[in-house]
Each structure stands twice: as C-alpha cells, then as structure tokens.
Amino acid sequence: MFKLKIDTESKIAVYKQLMSEINSAILDGRLKSGDIVPSMNELADELGISKETVKRAYGLLREKGVLEAHQGKGFYIADENKKESISILFLFDKFSTYKQEVVNGFHREVKDKTDETILLFNQDLDLFEYFLNENLGRFDYYIVTPHFPLDAASQKRAAKMLRRIPNHKLIMLDNWVTDVPGNYGAVYQDFTNDVRKGLQEGCDKLKALGNLNVITLPSSLYGSRMSRTIRAFCKENGISVKFLSGAPSRISKGDVFLMLNSQLDSGLIALWEKGNAAGLKPGEDYHLISYNETQIDAIVLNGLTTISTDFLEMGREAARMINERRMWKKHCGFGMNRRNTF
C-alpha cells in the first residue's frame, strides 16, 4: 500500500502536506483511480497526528473530487474521468495587458475544464511566501511569473521558495529562475539578450536613421540588463544612443524612440503630444518602437511597432504541458512586429 509522509517540522500545515502527497502520487501514477487510501484512524495512528487533521485533508480532497467515500469501505481515489476540473493557481507578479495575453493563450489551448485562481504578489518576496504557505497542496498546478528583485539574496530566497512547489506541478512563465533544479516547466524570455534580436530585425533602418533614444524608468526590473545590451548593439552598428527617463523636451525629424517602460500609457501619450506640437507625424517624421506586444498595438497610431516575446504562445505552451501531463523548458520566440510607426 502507498505510504504517505509528512514533515512535522515544516511550516506547511499537516493537512496541506497530506493533500499535496496524495495529489502528487496521483499525478505521477503512484496512485490510480480506485486505489484505496488508509482510513482516517489508520493514517492518524501511523503518522502520529490527530484524526481531525486527516479528516480535514480527506474532506477537502472529496470536495475537489480527488477522493470518493464508500460507506463501510473507506476512501478511494476518484475516477479521473469524473473529475470536473483541473485546479490552477496563477501566481503573477503583476497583472497587465501582457499577463492577460498569457491567460488568453492558455484558454485557447487548454482542453480540460480548469478552475483558476489568480493572485498578485507585486514582486514582493514576503507576499509570495505568504501565498505559497496558504496554497501549497491545494492546487493541481502552480503557474508562476517569478519576477523578484535581482540582488543575489532575493534571488536565492526566491529559488528556495520555488523549490517547495513539486516539480510536476510547477510551470514558470516569462522568467526562468535557473537555480531551481528538476523537471518542471518553463516558458521564458531572455531579458538580457532578446532585445538584441528584436532590434536586429530593424537594424538597416536604424543604421540609416543613425539614432536611438531609449526611454526606461529607474523602477524597471530588467531595464539595466537590456540597456547594456542596447548600448552594445548600437556601438557595434554605429548608431548614436541616448537613455531617457521620459519624453524629451522636443522631438526632431528622424528621431527614433524605443520605449522599454511606456506602452499605451502616459509615456507614449507624452511622445505623441511632443511630436504633434511640433507638427510631426509618427512613422513619417519620427519613429516609435515599444517593448511588449498586445493585440491593440495593430490599432494604436495606425499600427505601433513593437519588439516582444509571444505572450499568447507562452500561455499556450503552459496549457500544452497540462494537457500532455509532462513538463519541458522552452525559450519563447522574440522579434520585431513591424508596423506604421517604424
């Protein structure tokens, strides 16, 4: 008979550990539909815990359709075909139009009915840890965008917390924390090097125009990494580059702007207003490139040029892992979406 294990010194509640153990055993095939699990009395005695703790775990698993109870026979693993939904916890650093694209892509691909919860931790390690403590063992899959402060201590702490999620339940999106070992899923962009690939696709025009003005805010998590790459790219190709924290005081004919932090917000509006005041038209007299693609970019300014990863594909890849019940790691495509503004 399958043996359940708990760690009495863990910060995770025992009932959550029991739920996680059973869910994990089902997902990796150690427990199958129809298999019996120990009675509440047996399991309480075996693990040295209270019957009420076992009762709570079993009760929640029954509510989720994982366990079935048969009068006089005990608890069994429910028929997987009867399970109504797969439970997903999205742990997003922030919610944005790009995260919505990820969710849209996920919904386009997922074949099973899913029961989804989205929590936002705002790149805050303490809040992320709180959400993890409250929800480990309660979901079939955890889809995380692991964007945290980039200092070594924060990254080490983030990796330690991510390792608490069982590999077969963990899917990292957008960023890959490589210090986490194991066969989990990851669909990611490379915040250091991808920007080079995007700009390379417009390199001939950038060379002809001879300049690039990069708008990036001090609060940008990966701004410094991308700025180093952009600076090197421009030096290699003889392109003059300036880094700004907002719209310049004036715009001149032939100026090219790359907005790392401003899409469809005050930064983009401020640039348009400066150009409009000078009687300049975007795409003709000056040029705009924005970082990160959304569906509305095809409409904005009669077509806003972007350099971006494919967020729809990112979501679809996560869904495919769940559909196929296997994990892989994939660098998501990145490139320039050329439109009217460049």
Side-chain angles (χ1 to χ4, degrees):
M1 181 180 290
F2 174 74
K3 296 290 186 182
L4 295 169
K5 298 178 181 179
I6 61 166
D7 179 2
T8 56
E9 296 183 359
S10 173
K11 294 181 180 179
I12 302 171
V14 172
Y15 81 91
K16 291 182 180 180
Q17 293 185 54
L18 291 177
M19 292 174 68
S20 182
E21 278 280 291
I22 291 172
N23 281 319
S24 297
I26 293 170
L27 288 170
D28 64 23
R30 288 175 291 154
L31 284 175
K32 298 180 175 62
S33 298
D35 286 352
I36 192 170
V37 295
S39 71
M40 289 187 283
N41 287 330
E42 289 173 343
L43 191 56
D45 290 341
E46 179 184 336
L47 299 177
I49 59 179
S50 72
K51 180 181 175 181
E52 288 302 312
T53 297
V54 182
K55 183 178 180 180
R56 184 177 184 185
Y58 280 12
L60 289 170
L61 288 170
R62 282 188 69 188
E63 290 177 11
K64 291 168 66 68
V66 176
L67 291 182
E68 292 179 347
H70 297 279
Q71 188 66 33
K73 294 184 178 180
F75 289 90
Y76 291 80
I77 303 300
D79 184 345
E80 180 65 25
N81 294 324
K82 292 182 181 179
K83 188 177 179 182
E84 293 184 358
S85 63
I86 296 173
S87 59
I88 312 289
L89 177 60
F90 287 96
L91 282 167
F92 284 159
D93 59 306
K94 295 178 180 178
F95 201 77
S96 63
T97 52
Y98 322 125
K99 300 301 192 310
Q100 185 62 62
E101 293 288 283
V102 170
V103 173
N104 291 344
F106 182 86
H107 287 155
R108 290 183 188 184
E109 187 72 24
V110 72
K111 296 175 183 177
D112 301 293
K113 180 181 176 183
T114 58
D115 179 13
E116 299 163 16
T117 300
I118 297 176
L119 296 175
L120 308 178
F121 59 87
N122 198 34
Q123 300 177 3
D124 185 315
L125 284 161
D126 291 334
L127 187 55
F128 182 76
E129 185 171 34
Y130 172 78
F131 286 151
L132 207 55
N133 288 339
E134 288 297 303
N135 292 285
L136 271 178
R138 295 181 57 196
F139 292 85
D140 296 320
Y141 292 95
Y142 297 79
I143 299 178
V144 184
T145 57
H147 296 300
F148 300 102
L150 298 179
D151 61 280
S154 294
Q155 288 294 302
K156 182 178 180 180
R157 184 181 170 194
K160 183 178 180 180
M161 287 191 284
L162 288 165
R163 285 195 289 269
R164 293 171 57 193
I165 303 173
N167 276 180
H168 62 273
K169 293 187 173 188
L170 173 62
I171 301 175
M172 295 190 207
L173 294 185
D174 207 27
N175 183 43
W176 178 17
V177 180
T178 56
D179 287 342
V180 179
N183 187 32
Y184 53 85
V187 190
Y188 58 95
Q189 56 177 314
D190 181 342
F191 290 95
T192 300
N193 298 307
D194 281 349
V195 67
R196 177 188 291 273
K197 181 178 183 298
L199 291 175
Q200 187 64 48
E201 293 179 21
C203 189
D204 288 348
K205 188 165 185 175
L206 285 169
K207 282 183 176 180
L209 292 165
N211 76 93
L212 183 63
N213 299 278
V214 183
I215 297 177
T216 183
L217 302 179
S219 60
S220 172
L221 188 60
Y222 302 106
S224 61
R225 290 184 179 182
M226 290 188 285
S227 294
R228 286 194 294 270
T229 300
I230 292 167
R231 196 183 300 276
F233 168 84
C234 288
K235 183 177 181 180
E236 292 165 9
N237 291 283
I239 300 166
S240 173
V241 62
K242 292 180 181 178
F243 291 88
L244 311 170
S245 59
S249 58
R250 61 185 298 272
I251 294 177
S252 302
K253 275 193 173 184
D255 281 350
V256 185
F257 295 93
L258 169 61
M259 296 170 289
L260 292 183
N261 302 96
S262 296
Q263 187 173 27
L264 307 183
D265 61 8
S266 59
L268 181 60
I269 293 169
L271 278 174
W272 177 84
E273 288 177 339
K274 294 285 186 182
N276 193 51
L280 304 177
K281 294 183 178 181
E284 295 180 18
D285 302 313
Y286 68 102
H287 307 275
L288 301 173
I289 305 169
S290 192
Y291 186 85
N292 284 339
E293 169 81 2
T294 66
Q295 291 179 343
I296 202 170
D297 292 325
I299 301 171
V300 173
L301 297 175
N302 198 31
L304 177 63
T305 293
T306 65
I307 54 173
S308 179
T309 193
D310 189 336
F311 291 105
L312 284 171
E313 179 61 18
M314 192 176 287
R316 287 194 291 261
E317 281 291 304
R320 289 176 191 132
M321 294 185 208
I322 292 171
N323 288 338
E324 299 180 23
R325 294 182 178 274
R326 65 186 182 93
M327 297 293 187
W328 58 81
K329 298 174 179 65
K330 180 179 179 180
H331 178 208
C332 202
F334 194 99
M336 177 175 281
N337 302 297
R338 198 79 168 263
R339 299 191 181 96
N340 177 63
T341 60
F342 179 72

